Amino acid sequence: MVQRYDRLKDIQRLDPERDFLEIYRLTVSYEFPWDITRALELALYRTYAVPSIGRLLDETAELTGRSQKRYDDTALLLDTVVEHGFDTDEGRTAVRRINQMHRSYDISNDDMRYVLCTFVVTPKRWLDEYGWRRLSNHELRAFAAYYRTLGARMGIRDLPQSYEDFERTLDTYEREHFGWDEGARRVSDATLALMASWYPAPLAPVVRGASLALLEDSLLRAFRYRRPGPVARGLTRGALRLRARAVRLLPPRRKPHYARQNPEIKGYPDGYEIAALGTFPTPGVRGCPVPGHRRPSDVPVE
């Protein structure tokens, strides 16, 4: 019978520079599927506190007007690469769709690099606090290699190389750029409402309160939310730590769990085509201001 730490032993036999995809897949789909989902939700959420990012998301109305679809599409496109790899038809199609959407907008390289950093750093910090174990150095090296590869295929320049580089880049960017923006606050409110909508209506205030209790003071200040009291924070964080202890005692997962299997993905009950996920912005329509915009079919594949 497979024991709780056997998969970590398998991971440590792999080369984090050569086998980064296999290590990343084992870590996120076998070891921590629920935790990584929560951590990546938080990773994307914290990017709203950079006004240039939060403002653009408000202007597109994707997260304020079509929150569930935006959530589903983002999760499915990112996880397609995890499940199928970078060099398969499915993986290339997912990266192509991500690139087509980003190139429709005037997004700086610095903002793109920062968002990528959140995908590396936030899961590590979440698992430090709420995981049934912490990530090993082997896994951190693989995470960095995985997102260096994704970043390169997205055309992002000056990519961090090590986990420590990703962490320094993130912390510096947040210190310099976190701030108030009215549009970003609307996006934040819409995201909190979306997460509350996944539960029965009477629980919505509890879910919103628990979500706010997980936010750092820097995020609360940027969005101008009232700081949750110590009881709310203690109960929320304590419950997550109790869950981690319980999970540690459970037998390890025998089958991988991918984002398409998450109950939060609600928009495609009859399945989906990777090439149809996401948005197809039209020049001149709200949220698509880039001069010389090309239709997605005209954008070269990376």
Side-chain angles (χ1 to χ4, degrees):
M1 181 179 294
V2 179
Q3 301 299 312
R4 173 45 88 184
Y5 287 89
D6 286 352
R7 190 160 286 116
L8 176 59
K9 295 175 184 176
D10 292 338
I11 286 170
Q12 291 175 326
R13 295 187 188 102
L14 299 171
D15 184 324
E17 297 299 326
R18 183 190 64 225
D19 305 319
F20 61 85
L21 175 60
E22 181 64 14
I23 293 172
Y24 188 76
R25 184 183 289 138
L26 288 171
T27 302
V28 305
S29 64
Y30 283 93
E31 296 284 78
F32 304 106
W34 187 88
D35 290 282
I36 294 295
T37 296
R38 304 286 83 79
L40 292 180
E41 288 168 355
L42 180 58
L44 287 169
Y45 176 87
R46 70 186 304 114
T47 68
Y48 311 162
V50 175
S52 56
I53 297 174
R55 188 181 308 121
L56 176 62
L57 291 170
D58 178 59
E59 290 171 354
T60 67
E62 289 301 316
L63 274 165
T64 52
R66 296 173 288 276
S67 303
Q68 184 67 60
K69 176 174 169 51
R70 172 60 188 260
Y71 176 90
D72 292 352
D73 291 352
T74 300
L76 292 172
L77 285 170
L78 289 173
D79 215 52
T80 293
V81 183
V82 178
E83 183 172 1
H84 298 283
F86 289 99
D87 296 318
T88 62
D89 288 343
E90 294 91 343
R92 284 192 291 266
T93 300
V95 174
R96 184 185 302 117
R97 277 273 58 232
I98 292 169
N99 287 340
Q100 288 168 346
M101 288 185 287
H102 285 153
R103 286 171 181 161
S104 299
Y105 305 105
D106 188 13
I107 307 172
S108 72
N109 186 75
D110 287 349
D111 278 356
M112 293 278 285
R113 184 177 56 219
Y114 164 67
V115 173
L116 195 75
C117 289
T118 68
F119 297 160
V120 179
V121 178
T122 308
K124 190 266 187 188
R125 292 179 174 175
W126 175 278
L127 292 170
D128 282 352
E129 291 289 331
Y130 310 119
W132 65 266
R133 68 169 174 85
R134 295 188 174 197
L135 291 176
S136 66
N137 184 61
H138 227 61
E139 289 167 307
L140 290 177
R141 290 174 63 193
F143 272 48
Y146 179 90
Y147 282 103
R148 283 201 316 267
T149 303
L150 179 60
R153 297 197 178 207
M154 292 174 64
I156 300 174
R157 302 182 303 280
D158 303 320
L159 290 166
Q161 296 301 300
S162 66
Y163 171 80
E164 293 75 17
D165 291 339
F166 277 98
E167 190 171 49
R168 281 191 294 270
T169 301
L170 178 138
D171 288 338
T172 300
Y173 208 67
E174 291 185 348
R175 280 195 303 270
E176 295 177 352
H177 293 86
F178 267 13
W180 164 256
D181 182 83
E182 185 177 349
R185 170 61 187 259
R186 283 193 291 269
V187 174
S188 173
D189 287 341
T191 300
L192 294 173
L194 171 66
M195 291 188 289
S197 76
W198 297 334
Y199 301 89
L203 294 178
V206 176
V207 174
R208 179 184 171 86
S211 300
L212 291 172
L214 291 173
L215 300 184
E216 303 156 34
D217 287 348
S218 59
L219 282 169
L220 294 168
R221 287 193 298 270
F223 294 126
R224 297 184 182 175
Y225 289 129
R226 181 179 300 173
R227 191 176 190 270
V231 173
R233 282 190 160 180
L235 287 173
T236 302
R237 299 178 184 196
L240 288 170
R241 292 185 181 114
L242 282 175
R243 175 193 173 274
R245 292 178 185 175
V247 171
R248 191 179 300 124
L249 299 175
L250 296 175
R253 181 178 294 278
R254 295 182 176 223
K255 295 181 180 180
H257 182 94
Y258 295 106
R260 58 182 169 76
Q261 298 167 291
N262 289 345
E264 297 85 7
I265 304 292
K266 299 182 180 297
Y268 300 98
D270 300 318
Y272 58 90
E273 294 184 13
I274 300 168
L277 292 173
T279 60
F280 295 85
T282 303
V285 174
R286 179 185 183 189
C288 186
V290 179
H293 167 75
R294 293 176 291 175
R295 295 184 306 169
S297 59
D298 299 327
V299 178
V301 178
E302 294 300 327

